Amino acid sequence: MKELALKYGCNPNQKPSRIFMEQGELPVEVLSGAPGYINFLDALNAWQLVRELKQATGLPAAASFKHVSPAGAAVGLPLSTTLRKIYFVDDLPVELSPIASAYARARGADRMSSYGDFVALSDECDEATALLLKREVSDGVIAPGFTPEALAILQAKRNGKYNVIKIDATYKPAPTECKQVFGITFEQGRNEIDLTSPVLFENIPTKNKEFTPEARRDLLIALITLKYTQSNSVCYAKDGQAIGIGAGQQSRIHCTRLAGQKADIWWLRQHPKVMSLPFVEGIRRADRDNTIDLYIGDEAEDVLRDGSWQQFFTRQPEPLTMDEKREWIAQNTQVSLASDAFFPFGDNIERAHKSGVQYIAQAGGSVRDDHVIMTCDKYGIAMAFTGVRLFHH
C-alpha cells in the first residue's frame, strides 16, 4: 500500500489528510483502529526512539509519546518492588516480560503526561504488555509484531477502535528528509548521529571525571530520548529510564526546572506516605494519578480538606510537609542529566543538583562554560562536553 487516507490533519478543519510514499510501499500496517495524523507523528517518532535505544543498549525499549514528544522512555530492566507498586503493575496476573517492564517504566515516569499516550515498543508486543495497555487510557501502539494473544487483547480494546500499528523493522528511510511549511519545502539530512560513540565522553572538563557504567547507560538513554524530543529539551534519567523530561521550552533553565520538577515527583511518589495513601476501592486510575499529583504538589488542600478527601480516601491522610519533601528529595542520588544543547549558565547546574544529579552530558560551547564547569565542581558533578547538538523540530 502506497497511501493511507486519514480522517483529518492536526485539527478537524484540516482536510484532506493522508500519509503516503513517493516511492515504494508504506512500511506500516494498521491492524486495528483508524490512526490519525498526530497518532502517526507520535508513532513514527516514538518508533525511531525505541529502535535506537534497543540498538544502543541491547535491551528491549519502550516509549510513551504525547504531542510529538516523549512523556517517558525506558529499557526493560527488572522492576523493584517499590517501582512495581508506584507504576501499579504489581497486580498483573502474568509475569512481567522485559518489554512489559520497559513500558511500565516509560508509562510510570510521568503518568499525568502519559494519559492518552501513543506507545512504541522495540520488540514484539506480548501478552503481559498488552494487558498493561488494556487498562491504560492510551490512543495506540506501534511495534514490529504482536503475539496472537496480545493482538486479541488489543483488538478488543475500545470495541476495536484502539489503534494497533505493525511496522516493518527492516524499513530504512532515505538519507534526506523533507517537509513543507507555508508552501515552502525544507530539506535536510536525517540526524544519524551515533550517540554510542566513546568520543562523546572524551572531553570531561570537570574535576570529577568518573562516570559509572550505570551513569553512562542512563546518559545514553537521556541523549537518545532528547534526539526525538521537541527542543529546547532536557532529560533526567536514572535506573534505565527517563524520570523527567522538559520539552519545547524557549529558555533552557525552564527546561531544566520543568524536567527537574517531574523527576522530583517521580521520586516523591516513592515516599512512604504516598505509597500508603488509603484510596477508596474502585477509584479510577486517572483519578488516582491526579490525586497523587495534587497530594505531592502545592495544592494538596484540594484533596485533603473536609468534603474533598472523602471522594478519594477511606480516611483523611496526613499532609506531606514541605520539610518532608525536601528531606526525601535530598535522598535521591546518582541521577544523570542530558541536554540537547549547551547550558548557557550555571543556574541549570544549581537546579539539577537539587534533584540529585551527579552526571551530566551536554554539548558545551557556551561563552560561560567556565561558570558551568565551576558550578559542577562545587558539587562534585562529573560532566562531559559531547560536542553534539540534538535539536528536533
Side-chain angles (χ1 to χ4, degrees):
M1 181 174 63
K2 294 179 66 70
E3 177 179 325
L4 179 65
L6 306 176
K7 190 174 181 180
Y8 51 76
C10 286
N11 300 290
N13 62 293
Q14 292 179 268
K15 301 177 182 179
S17 176
R18 62 173 177 156
I19 59 171
F20 66 98
M21 299 290 287
E22 292 183 345
Q23 295 181 349
E25 300 289 310
L26 282 168
V28 293
E29 178 184 0
V30 178
L31 304 180
S32 182
Y37 192 96
I38 295 175
N39 291 149
F40 270 112
L41 287 176
D42 281 340
L44 296 176
N45 275 282
W47 165 250
Q48 292 177 82
L49 193 164
V50 299
R51 180 186 64 172
E52 190 165 343
L53 274 183
K54 174 67 179 290
Q55 292 171 346
T57 66
L59 296 168
S64 170
F65 255 62
K66 282 287 294 291
H67 293 290
V68 206
S69 279
V75 294
L77 297 175
L79 297 173
S80 66
T81 301
T82 296
L83 290 181
R84 284 174 179 261
K85 185 168 183 179
I86 70 166
Y87 294 162
F88 306 109
V89 298
D90 53 342
D91 62 340
L92 203 68
V94 299
E95 185 63 28
L96 283 175
S97 61
I99 190 63
S101 295
Y103 178 59
R105 287 176 177 275
R107 174 84 185 202
D110 183 0
R111 290 188 59 83
M112 290 290 288
S113 295
S114 285
Y115 183 85
D117 63 350
F118 209 97
V119 180
L121 307 172
S122 67
D123 291 26
E124 181 180 61
C125 180
D126 59 13
E127 181 183 15
T129 312
L131 287 172
L132 292 182
L133 289 165
K134 177 183 178 181
R135 59 192 190 180
E136 300 290 3
V137 176
S138 170
D139 274 0
V141 57
I142 185 170
F146 300 83
T147 66
E149 298 83 3
L151 187 58
I153 292 168
L154 296 175
Q155 286 181 329
K157 183 177 171 70
R158 287 169 48 182
N159 296 318
K161 294 181 180 179
Y162 187 67
N163 296 310
V164 179
I165 302 173
K166 181 180 178 180
I167 186 162
D168 179 1
T170 66
Y171 168 69
K172 185 174 177 61
T176 59
E177 56 188 14
C178 304
K179 71 176 181 179
Q180 284 196 340
V181 178
F182 199 52
I184 297 170
T185 300
F186 289 65
E187 182 178 278
Q188 65 176 352
R190 287 180 50 78
N191 188 359
E192 302 287 6
I193 186 73
D194 179 11
L195 295 174
T196 65
S197 172
V199 174
L200 270 62
F201 284 87
E202 287 184 352
N203 185 1
I204 304 175
T206 50
K207 293 178 181 177
N208 182 357
K209 301 182 184 299
E210 296 300 318
F211 290 84
T212 66
E214 293 79 12
R216 287 179 180 264
R217 176 202 62 203
D218 292 343
L219 286 170
L220 180 59
I221 290 169
L223 287 168
I224 292 173
T225 298
L226 293 173
K227 187 177 174 183
Y228 301 99
T229 302
Q230 299 299 300
S231 299
N232 286 326
S233 56
V234 163
C235 179
Y236 293 65
K238 181 176 179 175
D239 193 27
Q241 66 173 94
I243 62 171
I245 302 170
Q249 303 301 304
Q250 289 76 19
S251 167
R252 190 153 303 276
I253 184 59
H254 290 161
C255 290
T256 307
R257 290 171 183 164
L258 175 60
Q261 181 186 36
K262 291 184 176 186
D264 291 345
I265 290 172
W266 174 82
W267 183 249
L268 283 167
R269 285 175 58 200
Q270 301 175 55
H271 191 283
K273 276 191 174 181
V274 180
M275 293 184 65
S276 61
L277 285 171
F279 287 107
V280 297
E281 187 176 350
I283 187 171
R284 294 174 62 249
R285 297 173 74 83
D287 290 336
R288 178 200 56 207
D289 292 340
N290 187 53
T291 301
I292 291 172
D293 196 68
L294 288 170
Y295 177 78
I296 289 171
D298 297 330
E299 299 175 331
E301 187 63 21
D302 288 354
V303 294
L304 294 181
R305 69 167 67 96
D306 280 335
S308 293
W309 69 261
Q310 292 90 340
Q311 302 174 55
F312 313 108
F313 306 114
T314 57
R315 56 177 172 76
Q316 188 176 28
E318 293 183 1
L320 187 60
T321 69
M322 188 63 67
D323 285 342
E324 288 174 320
K325 292 179 192 178
R326 279 195 291 263
E327 289 172 5
W328 186 256
I329 290 171
Q331 297 178 44
N332 192 15
T333 60
Q334 301 297 310
V335 177
S336 295
L337 171 68
S339 174
D340 67 355
F342 63 68
F343 284 128
F345 304 106
D347 55 356
N348 291 274
I349 311 303
E350 294 283 358
R351 177 59 189 87
H353 168 69
K354 292 178 180 179
S355 295
V357 168
Q358 293 178 251
Y359 309 98
I360 293 175
Q362 59 126 329
S366 167
V367 295
R368 296 301 310 278
D369 275 348
D370 57 344
H371 185 237
V372 175
I373 296 166
M374 181 182 68
T375 311
C376 284
D377 287 342
K378 180 168 70 170
Y379 297 116
I381 293 171
M383 179 175 65
F385 281 168
T386 65
V388 172
R389 196 176 79 172
L390 295 168
F391 281 177
H392 179 65
H393 293 285

